[in-house]
Every structure is written in C-alpha cells, then in structure tokens.
C-alpha cells in the first residue's frame, strides 16, 4: 500500500543512478549540478510510523520557506539569493539562485496535522506522522462464545 | 541488507561554487549542505586553496520505502582552487552558515586601491 510513492519515478531514477555511477567511473568525478532540473534534491524515507523528508537547501532563511501538506502532497517553496551580488565581477557562478518549488507525493496515510520541520546546516528535515490506521495491527483470534 | 552497506559508503562530491571579485579582494562561496564547522577543513599550500567538508545523512532504521536523490552515508565535498599571486593567502577569512562556506581573500597591500592625497602647494 505504500508502494505508490513515485514507483515509476523511483525506477527511472535508479536507472539514472546506475548510468551516473558508470559515468563517474569513466570520468572520475561527477558534476555538482546533477539534479538542477529538480532543485532542491530530496530524500524520502518511509518507516512504520512516520515519513522523513530531507532536502538540501543551503543558504536560505528558514522563515522564508513555505512548507505545505495538502492531502499527501508535500510542497516546499522558497527563494535563494545566491549569485546576485551587485557591483562585483563573477568569475564563476555555479550555485543555484532564484525561486524554487518542489512537490513530493507522500504515502496516502500522511497525517497533515502532525508535521514538524527543522532547518540545520542547510538541510531541511521534515517529519510527517502516519495515521494510526496504517500501522500493522495484531489481531487476536477469539474463542467461540460459549465454549 | 544493501542499506547498511550504503550507509557506510563515502561519496566524493564537488561543491557548486561562486567566485566574485571586487576592488579589495575575492569572495568564494561553496554549497556544502549538512556540513558543520567541526567537519570542515580549509588548507592553503603555496598558491593552492583546498576545502574539504563532510556531511552524514542519517536515516531511520527499518525503512519500508525510499525515494532518494541524496547519497546516503557520508558525502565529502572536496574542491581546490589555484590562487592568483595578487591575493594574500595569509589573510583568508572563512565563515560557514546554513551549509554555505564563504571565504574572503583580500588582495595584497600593493594591489589594494589607494587614495592619493593631494598636497596643497
């Protein structure tokens, strides 16, 4: 039942990863702009009781991040000021700057009432509890009445 | 099973960097998410400046489903730069905030802009 979390994308992603690993071996080092089309990069880990989401968004003001969970769609919006210094001459400009908007589909039992977010060393960590009903339950077999 | 192996893994990554120059020196900024001050090392050897920081992405035990774009385990951000002789490597100033490393390297005294006083005749 939790397998609906971007099953197809995850499979596709694995293929990219494999390809990338092979390229790493050929070229020695991977470029840093690997996921620039989907900034910021995200990790989602689903355990029995909760969902942990990590995003790499260094150098943002956490007050200016907008985090919403509507049904099971988690959305993080924000803006990075990187690479916008005035009156200077850039010789290298690789860091992402500007607005970003990332939406992640979570398992359907994500509880939008129980969400916590923390920002530390440029990593945004969001914890979402899963609704009780989703946890596996032990079902006792009752003896027939009257025996 | 394979997860444990992945968690122990170390990945070397080249951090994205911006470098800009003004009249008195250069500023270098590098994205190193997850790196704390204790896990950051900056070295200058002759004209070579190297940065090396590591970040550990911990994950809860017994993960049922995972979607992952970030490497699990230790990510080491390593990169080195060759410094122009105009720059004063003895006066490098470093700060780390919210996963962004900022290095300020001033130009040597003789390359700093100077204001020439005009003496009254």
């Amino acid at each position: 039942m939790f397998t609906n979390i971007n099953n197809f994308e995850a499979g596709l992603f694995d293929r990219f990863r494999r390809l990338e690993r092979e390229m790493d071996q050929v070229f020695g080092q991977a470029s840093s702009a690997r996921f620039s089309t989907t900034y910021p990069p995200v990790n989602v880990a689903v355990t029995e009781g909760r969902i942990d989401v990590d995003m790499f968004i260094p150098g943002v003001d956490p007050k200016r991040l907008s985090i919403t969970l509507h049904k099971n769609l988690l959305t993080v919006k924000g803006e990075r000021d990187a690479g916008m210094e005035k009156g200077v001459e850039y010789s290298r400009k690789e860091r992402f700057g500007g607005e970003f908007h990332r939406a992640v589909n979570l398992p359907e039992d994500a509880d939008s009432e129980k969400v916590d977010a923390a920002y530390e060393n440029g990593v945004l960590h969001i914890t979402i509890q899963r609704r009780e009903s989703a946890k596996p339950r032990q079902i006792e077999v009752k003896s027939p009445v009257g025996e | 099973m394979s997860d444990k192996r992945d968690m122990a893994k170390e990945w070397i990554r080249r951090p994205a960097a911006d470098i800009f120059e003004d009249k008195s020196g250069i500023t270098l900024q590098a994205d190193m998410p997850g790196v704390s001050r204790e896990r950051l090392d900056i070295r200058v050897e002759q004209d070579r400046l190297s940065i090396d920081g590591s970040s550990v992405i911990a994950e809860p035990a017994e993960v049922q489903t995972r979607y992952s774009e970030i490497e699990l385990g230790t990510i080491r951000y390593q990169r080195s730069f060759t410094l122009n002789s105009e720059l004063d490597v003895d006066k490098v100033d470093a700060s780390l905030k919210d996963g962004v490393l900022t290095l300020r390297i001033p130009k040597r005294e003789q390359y700093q802009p100077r204001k020439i006083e005009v003496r009254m005749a």
Side-chain angles (χ1 to χ4, degrees), chain A residues 27-70:
Chain A
F27 299 110
Q29 212 171 30
S31 71
S32 58
R34 317 162 58 218
F35 301 108
S36 55
T37 50
T38 50
Y39 185 90
V42 64
N43 251 18
V44 181
V46 182
T47 45
E48 193 182 303
R50 63 171 217 256
I51 306 152
D52 285 89
V53 179
D54 280 308
M55 284 191 188
F56 273 8
I57 328 176
V60 290
D61 177 357
K63 288 188 201 111
R64 286 171 61 199
L65 285 175
S66 150
I67 305 165
T68 53
L69 181 61
H70 181 65

Side-chain angles (χ1 to χ4, degrees), chain A residues 2 5 13 32 34-35 41-44 46-47 58-59 80 89 91-95 102 121-122 130, chain B residues 14 17-21 29 31 34 59 61-62 64-72 77 79 98-99:
Chain A
F2 339 105
I5 170 172
F13 191 81
S32 58
R34 317 162 58 218
F35 301 108
V42 64
N43 251 18
V44 181
V46 182
T47 45
R80 269 192 100 196
E89 203 179 317
S91 55
R92 211 174 275 268
K93 202 171 174 183
E94 302 166 349
R95 298 167 65 232
R102 191 81 211 257
N121 294 327
R130 297 173 72 186
Chain B
R14 190 175 133 107
D18 285 349
I19 301 174
F20 54 86
E21 183 177 349
Q29 290 187 303
D31 282 345
E59 196 172 62
E62 293 165 46
Q64 294 171 344
T65 316
R66 170 185 296 133
Y67 175 71
S68 177
E69 295 171 354
I70 299 166
E71 291 85 354
L72 299 170
Y77 299 97
R79 195 159 175 180
D98 295 335

Side-chain angles (χ1 to χ4, degrees), chain B residues 94-106:
Chain B
S95 66
L96 180 69
K97 188 174 184 281
D98 295 335
V100 179
L101 171 70
T102 302
L103 293 175
R104 174 72 192 167
I105 313 161

Side-chain angles (χ1 to χ4, degrees), chain B residues 44 46 83 87-93 104-106 108:
Chain B
V44 179
Q46 286 170 340
L83 301 176
L87 298 168
D88 194 343
V89 292
D90 297 326
K91 290 183 182 156
V92 179
D93 182 60
R104 174 72 192 167
I105 313 161
R108 290 183 196 281

Side-chain angles (χ1 to χ4, degrees), chain A residues 62-128:
Chain A
K63 288 188 201 111
R64 286 171 61 199
L65 285 175
S66 150
I67 305 165
T68 53
L69 181 61
H70 181 65
K71 286 181 182 167
N72 63 327
L73 186 70
L74 176 73
T75 308
V76 177
K77 280 190 220 175
E79 192 174 356
R80 269 192 100 196
D81 298 330
M84 292 170 188
E85 289 284 330
K86 301 237 159 60
V88 298
E89 203 179 317
Y90 275 90
S91 55
R92 211 174 275 268
K93 202 171 174 183
E94 302 166 349
R95 298 167 65 232
F96 175 88
E99 288 178 26
F100 58 85
H101 180 160
R102 191 81 211 257
V104 183
N105 252 314
L106 301 178
E108 279 166 12
D109 56 24
D111 191 341
S112 57
E113 303 290 314
K114 292 177 183 164
V115 187
D116 277 312
Y119 184 68
E120 191 185 8
N121 294 327
V123 181
L124 176 67
H125 185 82
I126 307 169
T127 311
I128 307 106

Side-chain angles (χ1 to χ4, degrees), chain B residues 7-24:
Chain B
M7 288 306 285
K9 220 165 181 167
E10 189 175 86
W11 310 84
I12 309 282
R13 289 287 170 252
R14 190 175 133 107
D18 285 349
I19 301 174
F20 54 86
E21 183 177 349
D22 56 40
K23 287 192 184 85
S24 60

